[in-house]
Amino acid sequence: EFEGMIGMEGVGSTGSIPKTFHNVCSEPENIVTKVTASIVNEKDQHSNTKDAQERAKQYESWLKLSRQINGLINRVNVTNVSQIVTLLLRLNLIRGRRLLCTLLIKAQQSSTQYSQVFAALMSVINSKFPDIGDLLITQLIHSLKRDIQTSIINKARCSASCIFIA
């Protein structure tokens, strides 16, 4: 009675289920697995593109912050310290604290005649954000140690670091 049905040849005569029946039954599972896998892959691709877009957006905002901090530090002098401090405090200094400290150190080492201006700028920022002041001192001490431990001691950098610490 089962003979002639698809995948059911010989069921009535031998009592065993032929291999073709297993292949027919296992196909829906494979289809479900393939559909599920394609849906998961689409979600992964969508989340990957979202992550990539978010990373690109974060990178652009980081570059903008970097340019703003760098521009303000390059413009600081005795007459406009209070305006520069106000503009710096409007920026996201918590996110750019290491950048701020690095740029201040580089600016101070390149022009030691403005050491007092940079120190005044940093003292105001330190009163608002003490962690940034700690980071600056830590970076200065590490750079001073590194300069002293090298075989060729750069006296200008060492003296600039000491002046900024003082």
Side-chain angles (χ1 to χ4, degrees), residues 25-69:
C25 288
S26 63
E27 282 181 19
E29 292 174 2
N30 288 338
I31 291 171
V32 169
T33 305
K34 288 179 184 178
V35 169
T36 306
S38 67
I39 291 171
V40 169
N41 286 339
E42 287 177 11
K43 285 182 181 178
D44 287 344
Q45 288 175 354
H46 182 65
S47 66
N48 286 342
T49 57
K50 235 180 171 180
D51 289 344
Q53 289 171 350
E54 183 64 27
R55 276 188 240 114
K57 184 179 175 183
Q58 289 292 326
Y59 181 70
E60 289 296 323
S61 68
W62 172 255
L63 285 178
K64 182 180 176 183
L65 179 66
S66 172
R67 284 187 225 114
Q68 288 174 337
I69 291 173

Side-chain angles (χ1 to χ4, degrees), residues 1-3 7-21:
E1 64 191 63
F2 292 109
E3 288 187 29
M8 300 297 287
E9 296 83 22
V11 172
S13 60
T14 61
S16 64
I17 300 174
K19 291 182 180 178
T20 56
F21 182 74

Side-chain angles (χ1 to χ4, degrees), residues 79-114:
T79 58
N80 66 356
V81 173
S82 60
Q83 290 93 14
I84 297 293
V85 167
T86 306
L87 293 173
L88 274 173
L89 291 176
R90 289 182 186 163
L91 299 177
N92 189 359
L93 289 183
I94 300 299
R95 183 176 184 201
R97 61 184 176 264
R98 186 175 182 103
L99 178 66
L100 173 70
C101 293
T102 304
L103 290 173
L104 272 173
I105 291 170
K106 286 182 181 180
Q108 192 270 337
Q109 287 177 348
S110 67
S111 57
T112 55
Q113 66 268 18
Y114 288 110

Side-chain angles (χ1 to χ4, degrees), residues 3 10 14 17 38-39 49 69 93 97 101 105 116-119 121 123 132-133 138 142-143 148-149 165-166:
E3 288 187 29
T14 61
I17 300 174
S38 67
I39 291 171
T49 57
I69 291 173
L93 289 183
R97 61 184 176 264
C101 293
I105 291 170
Q116 294 85 5
V117 176
F118 295 128
L121 176 74
S123 67
I132 297 176
T138 304
H142 284 298
S143 71
I148 290 172
Q149 290 174 351
I165 289 172

